[in-house]
Amino acid sequence: MTTIAIDFETANEQRGSACSVGLAWIEEGRVTRVEERLIRPRDMRFSGMNIAIHGIRPEHVEDAPEFPEVMDEFYDDISGATMIAHNAAFDFSVWRASLDLYRQSYPELTYLCSLKMAQRIWPHFLSHRLNLIAEHLGLHFMHHNAAEDAAVCAAAAIEMAKAVKAKAVEAIPALIGMTPGRLTAKGYAPCTCRKG
């Protein structure tokens, strides 16, 4: 079973404006591969606020491929994989909005939210933001760089698996009352946790 952490950065407030994607592969309890790709948004409108967050400007992506071409490169890896994102509601809304924009069907996959997992596994943390979890785990990274965010999400998920004695990251949900999210050709279902 392939598990891949994913992170998107957007050019503006529109969810379909992905301007970069980062992916980190988890195999046998470690991060084995990290990739980042710049994406040219269809309308090339960048907001100052988004640029201030991630530092990506229009000139950085003017020669980059658009969303379908970028994601097609990883289609075989992603299809049937367990994906994970920190605040999956955001990243998967970017993914869905971008696919909708290009009238493409959704891939078939299961996904987990490492933010919800961290809230359940480490309830004593004052915050469950990715940078603060990284600090707690002694991980150094450039926040809001898609590849580094994905790699830290993957590393944090590995530590969460250890914390609950799960054999693998994809085994965590059954131990913490989480229902994984799903993307399918027919739509999606969100990742949720039982109350209590």
Side-chain angles (χ1 to χ4, degrees):
M1 175 71 75
T2 304
T3 302
I4 307 169
I6 190 164
D7 181 80
F8 288 104
E9 300 296 332
T10 55
N12 57 57
E13 73 287 348
Q14 296 293 320
R15 291 289 200 253
S17 69
C19 61
S20 74
V21 62
L23 302 104
W25 281 252
I26 301 169
E27 294 173 25
E28 297 179 5
R30 60 193 187 88
V31 177
T32 58
R33 175 184 169 196
V34 178
E35 299 283 351
E36 179 185 19
R37 297 291 182 272
L38 291 175
I39 300 168
R40 187 173 72 247
R42 182 179 262 184
D43 71 359
M44 283 295 281
R45 181 174 63 82
F46 280 70
S47 83
M49 189 169 86
N50 291 54
I51 292 170
I53 290 169
H54 52 57
I56 300 169
R57 299 177 171 277
E59 58 268 27
H60 297 145
V61 302
E62 61 190 0
D63 296 324
E66 291 189 35
F67 188 90
E69 188 180 340
V70 170
M71 296 308 289
D72 279 355
E73 179 185 347
F74 304 109
Y75 180 84
D76 289 343
D77 292 294
I78 288 166
S79 191
T82 297
M83 305 296 295
I84 185 167
H86 202 73
N87 190 13
F90 171 78
D91 292 286
F92 282 82
S93 70
V94 170
W95 200 343
R96 293 192 324 269
S98 299
L99 290 169
D100 292 346
L101 183 66
Y102 289 95
R103 297 197 165 119
Q104 291 198 306
S105 59
Y106 297 170
E108 298 275 340
L109 56 86
T110 299
Y111 69 90
L112 310 176
C113 178
S114 60
L115 172 61
K116 289 180 187 293
M117 286 165 33
Q119 289 167 337
R120 188 59 67 95
I121 293 167
W122 295 316
H124 56 286
F125 284 16
L126 295 178
S127 169
H128 296 89
R129 291 176 56 192
L130 190 61
N131 58 325
L132 296 173
I133 288 174
E135 192 177 302
H136 179 81
L137 297 173
L139 303 170
H140 302 284
F141 76 121
M142 190 191 314
H143 199 16
H144 298 301
N145 169 283
E148 297 208 13
D149 282 6
V152 166
C153 171
I158 291 164
E159 291 304 314
M160 287 184 239
K162 290 177 187 170
V164 296
K165 298 182 170 45
K167 290 191 171 153
V169 169
E170 60 268 18
I172 295 172
L175 300 172
I176 65 168
M178 172 179 272
T179 301
R182 291 277 306 144
L183 270 189
T184 71
K186 294 179 180 173
Y188 81 102
C191 178
T192 59
C193 276
R194 276 200 314 266
K195 293 210 174 0

